Every structure is written in structure tokens, then in C-alpha cells.
Amino acid sequence: MSRPLRWALVLGAAGLALFVLKDKIPDGDELSRSMTGLRPGWLGVAVVAEAMSMATFARLTRRLLTLGGAHLTVHRAVALTYARNAVSNSLPAGPVLSIAYATRQFARLGAAKPLTAATLVLSGVYSTATFCVLCLIALLGQPSTRVPTVLALAALAVTASAAVVLRPRGLRDWLRRRSPGTFDQLRAARGAIRLAGRDRLALIGLALANWLLDVACLAAVCAAAGVTIGPHTVLLAYVAAKAAAVPALIPGGLGVTELGLAGTLIAAGVTGGAAAAVVLLYRLISYWAVLAAGWLAWLLLLDGFRARLAVAGHRLWIAFIRGNVVMDPCAAAYSSCDLWR
């Protein structure tokens, strides 16, 4: 999809959403009332669910690398996941830079290029496939979208079947002609990781858990804001928000994601103030907090940064102790203490 067309789609969708929601946009007082009755316990559940979601995706990446023969600890996998997310969701061309960053980090672990490519491709495939399953569940569960979804699936199945029958090797031949380097890399990546049936099930489970825990974060935020909607509506709002951000050129889908989530909640009967509170809290936890943690993880993964941080922390601790000694009325009695040497 060309860049101008993507911009046109994003601006058109945003304009349509604003037109539909123009009478539903809450004022400051309504939003303030919605935020005053929050339930802290459910907010805690939302934070834990989001942290578990990130950790689950980290385990997905780690399992793929381990199957390819590379060693990656759980703690480093989690730090890399947060750092990659921060690069991807806050910088222009973030997804491309995130791939380059992950490639460099995996190479430091001893992963060869085919293994790195296989890990990045397979993690994306499993994540995208499980998200598509959630989208289908959300669309098929909604009466207004059930028939169009079934018709679209039938058309897709017929088209795919015809392509396989008429030109079974067409896609592979086209890719080989169009980009021989990419084709060779994909063929090498295919042999870098050998998956057994048990491995595939584990990867599907991890990818699905990653999405479901993020959905649980949204559901917990709704409960914290006193918004009572069914599980299907929560799922529909979630996939609408994520799908709206796909064509967006703005890092993190800022603005588009919020409109998609708010529009679905309001269409389900949630008041404007309550919907705005849910959107604000969910994005604060799932985007901004994760982004801040990601850049912190990026710093901690820099060469020598942890060593310099430990030295700085030691010096601050010594300065704190010395400050307390100076303020002690009996400071003279400690003049020979090792802290002063």
C-alpha cells in the first residue's frame, strides 16, 4: 500500500469517527466525574495483565531462539521485548528500526542471521495469525458483521483455492524473480528452526496468551472505571482499536487507536465520559507506561551502562551516608570512621 493511500485511509477513518462522535465527545467535567470513582484494585489487575502480556511475548521470542540453538535468559528476553517495543512505537520508521535493533541484539547472543530472520518472521506469523483468529471471533460474534464476515471468508477461500490449483508455485516463483536475496534469506531461515508439533502448539499458546492478556488489561480498566460491558464487546473494542492502528503512519497509532476504541465503546452504549476514561487509562497503561519501561530497558542493555549505573549508585549511597553523619550531633565521635577516608 502506497504512503499517500495509507494517509488517505487514516485521515478518512479519523474524519468519519470524529463526525460520528462529535455529539459524544465529553467535556472536562464529565471526564473528571468518570475518573473520580475509579477502583484501584482493578487498575492493579490491569497493570499486572499488561506486564504478563509483554512477558509472554518475550517467552515466545526466547523459545524460538532456544529451538535454534541460541541461549537467552528470561530476564534479557523481557528487557529486549520492552526495548524493541519502545523503538517500534515511538520513532519514525519504528518497525524497521526495531528489526535492526533486534538483529543486532540477537547477533550478540551468537544467533546467526538465518536464526534471527526465522525468529523475527515466525514470531510475527504466530502473533498475526492468533490476532486474526481473535478478529474473526469478534466479527462472527456480532450479528451486524456476521454475514459480511462469512461472505468475505468464503471469497477468500475460493480465491486461495483457485490460486493453488492454477499456479501452485506462483508465489514462490514471483518472489524469487522479484527479490532473489529475500527469497534466499527466507529459505535459509526455514532451515534454522525445526518445529515439532509440540513446539507449534506451545508457540500458538504463547502468541494467543499475549493477546488475551492485553484484552484482560482492557477488561480490567473497564471494571476500574465502572463500565459494565460483556466480554464480546471488550474483545470487539480491542480488535477495533488494534486494527485501526495498522495503516496508521503515526508511531504507536496515536489518535487512531483512541478513536477506534472510543467509537466501539460508545456504539455499545457507554457514555462519552466513561468511554474517554477507559481509553485514557488503557492507553496510559498499555502504551505510555510500557513505552517508558522500554526506553529504560534500552538504556540498561547498552554496553557498560549498568556498570556506570552501579558506580553512580554506590557514590550516591556513600554521599547519603556521609550526609547523615554530618547531620549527626555526635559527628565528631565518628571522625575516624572509614566513611570519611
Side-chain angles (χ1 to χ4, degrees):
M1 186 183 295
S2 65
R3 193 180 183 90
L5 180 58
R6 291 177 66 186
W7 270 114
L9 287 174
V10 171
L11 293 177
L16 179 62
L18 287 174
F19 177 77
V20 173
L21 300 175
K22 63 180 180 179
D23 296 329
K24 305 289 186 179
I25 297 176
D27 54 23
D29 293 336
E30 186 179 356
L31 178 59
S32 178
R33 287 193 299 270
S34 299
M35 297 289 286
T36 53
L38 296 177
R39 302 170 185 175
W42 280 111
L43 286 180
V45 172
V47 172
V48 171
E50 189 61 34
M52 291 175 64
S53 174
M54 295 294 291
T56 303
F57 188 80
R59 289 183 179 275
L60 170 65
T61 304
R62 178 176 180 266
R63 190 176 185 93
L64 286 168
L65 286 172
T66 303
L67 289 171
H71 177 68
L72 178 63
T73 64
V74 175
H75 294 89
R76 191 172 186 87
V78 172
L80 275 173
T81 299
Y82 275 95
R84 288 175 56 192
N85 179 80
V87 172
S88 178
N89 286 328
S90 58
L91 297 177
V96 177
L97 294 176
S98 176
I99 292 174
Y101 175 76
T103 301
R104 186 168 63 252
Q105 291 293 328
F106 292 163
R108 293 177 60 186
L109 299 171
K113 288 185 178 179
L115 176 56
T116 296
T119 300
L120 295 174
V121 169
L122 287 176
S123 61
V125 167
Y126 279 99
S127 183
T128 302
T130 49
F131 179 72
C132 289
V133 171
L134 292 180
C135 289
L136 286 177
I137 293 173
L139 293 173
L140 292 174
Q142 181 70 19
S144 60
T145 58
R146 187 175 300 152
V147 174
T149 302
V150 171
L151 293 176
L153 285 175
L156 182 62
V158 170
T159 302
S161 300
V164 170
V165 172
L166 297 177
R167 298 191 64 183
R169 303 175 64 181
L171 178 61
R172 187 174 64 179
D173 294 339
W174 176 84
L175 181 60
R176 179 183 293 163
R177 292 193 306 270
R178 187 70 178 268
S179 182
T182 302
F183 179 81
D184 292 338
Q185 290 178 3
L186 290 175
R187 187 170 56 183
R190 182 181 179 183
I193 300 178
R194 296 295 183 180
L195 299 177
R198 181 178 58 185
D199 297 323
R200 291 189 177 91
L201 288 176
L203 293 171
I204 291 172
L206 288 170
L208 188 59
N210 168 240
W211 293 115
L212 291 178
L213 285 167
D214 202 10
V215 176
C217 174
L218 176 59
V221 167
C222 290
V227 173
T228 305
I229 53 178
H232 175 261
T233 304
V234 173
L235 179 61
L236 188 63
Y238 179 82
V239 297
K242 294 296 182 180
V246 169
L249 299 176
I250 304 172
L254 287 174
V256 181
T257 300
E258 287 80 359
L259 284 173
L261 180 55
T264 307
L265 291 174
I266 290 175
V270 179
T271 62
V278 169
V279 172
L280 178 63
L281 291 170
Y282 173 70
R283 289 293 276 172
L284 181 64
I285 295 171
S286 66
Y287 180 75
W288 293 106
V290 171
L291 200 67
W295 282 116
L296 177 60
W298 183 86
L299 284 174
L300 292 174
L301 290 171
L302 288 177
D303 292 335
F305 180 81
R306 282 181 292 182
R308 291 192 294 270
L309 188 64
V311 171
H314 179 71
R315 289 176 178 174
L316 286 174
W317 175 249
I318 293 299
F320 173 75
I321 295 297
R322 288 181 174 180
N324 279 269
V325 172
V326 169
M327 291 184 290
D328 192 334
C330 302
Y334 306 118
S335 58
S336 61
C337 181
D338 288 342
L339 291 172
W340 291 93
R341 294 177 184 174

